[in-house]
Amino acid sequence: MTEIIANTKKLFIKTYGCQMNVYDSDRMADALAPHGYEPTGDIMAADLVLLNTCHIREKASEKVFSELGRMKELQDLRRAAGADLMIGVAGCVAQAEGEEIARRAPVVDMVFGPQSYHRLPEMLSEAASRRSLHPSQQRAVVDTDYPEEDKFEHLPAASKEVTIKRGLTAFLTVQEGCDKFCAFCVVPYTRGSEVSRPVSQVLTEARNLVAAGVKEITLLGQNVNAYHGLDAAGRTVGLGELAYLLADIAGLERVRYTTSHPRDMDDALIAAHRDLDILMPYLHLPVQSGSDTMLKAMNRRHTAAEYLRTIERIKTARPDMALSGDFIVGFPGETEQDFEDTLSIIRDVGYASAYSFKYSTRPGTPGANLGGQIAEEIKTERLHRLQDLVNAQTTAFHAACVGKTMPVLIERPGRMPGQVGGRSPYLQAVHLDGSPDLIGAIHQVEIVGTSTNSLVGRLKVAQAA
């Protein structure tokens, strides 16, 4: 492919939403690197700005258009200084509303969905050529088709230099899309149906990351434990078996995965948690509600009792497992008893952490057409009650860690001079006194206290025999 940009230009990517968007933003940078674009953290220095959008949060589209208004001001400033700025909108809002963005925001040069960003260089070239047209003919390049080709096969491998800049931990997408069609969720409409990457692709990318210094990889998917990639023999491999294969990579010390669905926690994956120390004992397993009535309305296709039995199976296999979850309050038709059932399941599980949200309608989803919409003040009051309970459980979980010694991946200098910081197996931030030469390795750390949203540790020095 012919290079589009002869000289180095600056690329600024603003990423919204989930970890998969973070991964996608990194791969967009990879796709543009051979064409002369170098990432920058300074938007004022950028020649190209990409907004990688998320459709999950409330009023996502409005926030994008508001941001594009600011981009227009920035573009005007650049042009007044004799420079220029190209602007692209990527991600799930772009996928859902591509033509509308092109119509309403003439400042935009490119609009493309999460399945087509491997074609970014071609889109950029086309957008640049359209700049020469008469203003009446200038229009954004819109690419929101679901391509037949595998985008991962068409993306260049990240250079070692770029990968090193990403640090000791990295995301690795192994699965995209979802076939569950929960009534509140736009993912099947913006990311498409479930697709799993071939095993060889995943292992190759994982090895490249480890070769560049990555110690911990988080496997990503909209429904990651539904992973069903094919191996070289054409055999289907599930996430549990994939974990065993990753455990054989020398230098890879930790594996996590997110986000999971309770119906896809199969025996093989639970066995992997039992057998593999590399698989961290911290699992994000959303339930959304503790009410069977709400779960049915949400099309979750499991009951509260089935969810609790799954948790029991997991903790039997891995007694030190800690759970994280997602909860939606105020789904249409939710009664006070339904909400109390949700509080009950939270008490039964005892979460280390959780994400909770007030339900908000997403156009095109079944939930948007349901009757029994809940008043905003009721949703707010219930959310506060739920968060108070979860916060108390998180505080108790942190407190229970005090006095324990755990392996901590030291990632960076600490907030104070003479400190370093890292992550526990349970994804907690840990701060301790220590020199910078500790960074880059896992050390045994005694937890001696807690602070807001983190733990305080002390390096455990091995006793001489």
Side-chain angles (χ1 to χ4, degrees), residues 57-133:
R57 298 293 182 263
E58 188 174 7
K59 299 181 180 178
S61 301
E62 289 88 335
K63 291 175 182 176
V64 170
F65 285 113
S66 177
E67 185 69 27
L68 289 174
R70 289 188 284 272
M71 291 298 99
K72 177 65 167 65
E73 295 175 4
L74 178 59
Q75 189 181 68
D76 290 343
L77 286 172
R78 293 276 291 175
R79 287 176 173 172
D84 203 356
L85 175 67
M86 297 192 76
I87 298 167
V89 180
C92 291
V93 174
Q95 183 69 41
E97 305 186 39
E99 293 294 341
E100 180 69 3
I101 292 171
R103 185 185 67 81
R104 286 181 55 185
V107 69
V108 174
D109 295 283
M110 300 175 294
V111 186
F112 53 97
Q115 304 307 327
S116 51
Y117 61 75
H118 60 295
R119 296 198 286 252
L120 240 177
E122 290 85 355
M123 285 186 268
L124 189 58
S125 179
E126 173 63 20
S129 69
R130 293 188 185 187
R131 288 283 189 93
S132 64
L133 298 176

Side-chain angles (χ1 to χ4, degrees), residues 7 38 50 61 67-68 85 111 122 136 166 168 174 176 198 219 245 310 318 345 410 422 436 452 456:
N7 301 313
E38 180 181 275
L50 300 178
S61 301
E67 185 69 27
L68 289 174
L85 175 67
V111 186
E122 290 85 355
S136 64
R166 292 175 190 165
L168 297 167
V174 301
E176 286 194 287
L219 308 177
L245 296 172
T310 299
R318 188 73 187 256
I345 204 169
I410 306 298
T452 305
V456 180

Side-chain angles (χ1 to χ4, degrees), residues 1 11 18 47 80 86 111 136 140 156 165 173 179 186 189 193 207 260 264 298 309 321 341 346 415 448 450:
M1 187 185 300
L11 167 67
C18 66
D47 299 286
M86 297 192 76
V111 186
S136 64
K165 291 178 183 178
T173 292
D179 295 340
V186 298
Y189 312 101
S193 58
R207 291 188 189 102
S260 305
D264 293 309
M298 291 175 175
R309 283 196 293 272
M321 181 69 75
D341 289 343
I346 292 173
R415 294 174 294 187
V448 297
T450 65

Side-chain angles (χ1 to χ4, degrees), residues 319-360:
D320 61 340
M321 181 69 75
L323 276 299
S324 172
D326 285 351
F327 297 94
I328 295 173
V329 301
F331 191 77
E334 183 185 68
T335 65
E336 181 63 23
Q337 184 57 56
D338 292 325
F339 177 69
E340 287 293 339
D341 289 343
T342 297
L343 297 182
S344 178
I345 204 169
I346 292 173
R347 296 186 188 101
D348 286 343
V349 173
Y351 289 91
S353 66
Y355 301 94
S356 51
F357 314 93
K358 293 186 290 185
Y359 173 74
S360 58

Side-chain angles (χ1 to χ4, degrees), residues 243-308:
Y244 287 96
L245 296 172
L246 290 165
D248 288 335
I249 297 177
L252 179 57
E253 301 192 47
R254 289 179 165 184
V255 173
R256 305 180 188 274
Y257 60 89
T258 193
T259 291
S260 305
H261 194 287
R263 295 183 67 243
D264 293 309
M265 286 301 302
D266 60 21
D267 291 341
L269 182 53
I270 292 174
H273 277 288
R274 178 196 65 207
D275 297 341
L276 300 176
D277 290 336
I278 197 173
L279 205 51
M280 290 295 95
Y282 180 78
L283 175 61
H284 186 65
L285 192 63
V287 65
Q288 307 299 355
S289 175
S291 161
D292 286 348
T293 301
M294 288 296 96
L295 290 171
K296 184 176 181 179
M298 291 175 175
N299 195 34
R300 290 290 290 172
R301 292 185 280 181
H302 63 79
T303 65
E306 288 167 345
Y307 178 84
L308 290 172

